[in-house]
Amino acid sequence: MKAREVNFDGLVGPTHHYAGLSFGNEASTKHRFQVSNPRLAAKQGLLKMKALADAGFPQGVIPPHERPNVAVLRQLGFSGSDEQVVERAGTQQPHLLSAASSASAMWVANAATVAPSADTLDGKVHFTVANLNNKFHRATEAPTTERLLRAIFRDGSRFSVHEALPQVAMFGDEGAANHNRFGMEYGEPGIQLFVYGRDEVGIAAPTRYPARQTLAASQAVARLNQVNPGQVVFAQQNPEVIDHGVFHNDVIAVSNRQVLFCHEQAFVGQEVLFSTLRSQLPDFTPIQVPTQAVSVQDAVATYLFNSQLLSKDDGSMTLVLPQESQNHPGVWRYLNGLLEEDNPISELRVFDLRESMANGGGPACLRLRVVLTPEEQRAVNPAVMMNDTLFNTLNDWVDRYYRDRLTQADLVDPQLLREGREALEALTRILQLGPVYPFQQ
């Protein structure tokens, strides 16, 4: 058997709500204070996982984080019992309770940057946890993410999980959302493309929205992941598209094997970048979407590029898209034309992920890609791998613990805190994770 790409999707948490916490993410801001449906959000994600697993794409699950994050509220000066901490934060500073209750860890494309064993100097699969320090509601995720990854990828002889970079602006790291890997076969050495938005030396920067990923962070992650230096390329994201709401590279580009599907305005010096990639991978196949066909604004609104590009057994590729791309006449027209052209994309699959989309995350945000050899795949915690039994078990679990309506005002309810902890206690047993959450310590 050959090495395969395994997608590990984030399971949406019970406190999924619309608080507009992510400045620079226009969908997040647009839907602020609307009513969310955590139960539907989790089920939409599970349906995507199961459908792709049934189609032959190996699929795992990464569980949500404990929310509200009582420890960070205590760090901010709220005191008393856990219930009192939540009540006082919600009464005095509701925006802080909202941030501490964010379910944003569901977007595991930001959990870590992954290097497969074929690319690393020590022959292990490496994970460097992202610090996500550009946004307060995400900057607290790293410790739990690290524990979860260690509980899933337990075998220290095959997997190496690194803690997040220092929590300072110089090392702003957003994880795999700003990382691409190219190659022919998954198990062969590939080219890793790290995409950054800013540097400390004054390169052109966006003026409206922040550039979250730094070059220094990308360089540090490449070192930590022990990527062979000859297999690393760094590229700058176009600051103009960041100002249009392209807060991560995976909102404007997606790669798989030899293919890069991207907008023509995705990168600074795009043609030079393509020449560099082509010199290292002769079969490099860029598919550039022209502005005339799809504007950057329409790409952001539909999350055309926040799609999954998956290899089928016959060598062709499936493009997994959010329903919003199908609903936009111009984008859908372009995509159907793409199927008629000479390129590896042979199939479009559309999923309803509107609960995630309204908070600013599409299909690609919800998954962390991990290339694994057959031996490495067998070393993964088997309880997290999607199959009929796990799908039914998790749907029953969601039905038992999740609400079908949640607003920011509901976060102060102490019962929500208790419900969440009961849910995660049950989930750790289902996924055989051990005590990974703060309340279990």
Side-chain angles (χ1 to χ4, degrees), residues 159-211:
F159 306 118
S160 186
V161 179
H162 306 284
E163 66 180 354
L165 299 177
Q167 284 284 10
V168 294
M170 179 181 179
F171 294 111
D173 177 28
E174 301 285 309
N178 287 316
H179 177 259
N180 298 274
R181 181 178 186 262
F182 301 96
M184 293 307 295
E185 297 293 336
Y186 287 122
E188 297 175 356
I191 305 302
Q192 297 202 18
L193 173 64
F194 290 82
V195 183
Y196 62 94
R198 60 188 171 91
D199 191 7
E200 298 296 305
V201 296
I203 61 172
T207 57
R208 182 184 182 196
Y209 291 142

Side-chain angles (χ1 to χ4, degrees), residues 265-345:
Q265 297 182 51
F267 305 98
V268 172
Q270 193 147 303
E271 289 306 319
V272 174
L273 171 63
F274 288 177
S275 295
T276 299
L277 293 171
R278 195 172 285 112
S279 69
Q280 299 195 47
L281 181 67
D283 291 315
F284 173 64
T285 306
I287 302 175
Q288 290 191 86
V289 181
T291 303
Q292 185 176 357
V294 179
S295 68
V296 173
Q297 292 91 331
D298 286 344
V300 171
T302 63
Y303 269 29
L304 165 62
F305 297 102
N306 196 249
S307 52
Q308 294 176 248
L309 195 54
L310 306 174
S311 286
K312 297 193 285 187
D313 289 339
D314 64 3
S316 66
M317 299 185 187
T318 297
L319 190 64
V320 175
L321 299 147
Q323 188 171 299
E324 285 76 1
S325 290
Q326 185 178 43
N327 293 345
H328 188 286
V331 169
W332 192 241
R333 187 184 313 113
Y334 169 79
L335 286 166
N336 280 280
L338 189 65
L339 294 180
E340 304 300 320
E341 297 176 6
D342 182 19
N343 64 70
I345 299 174

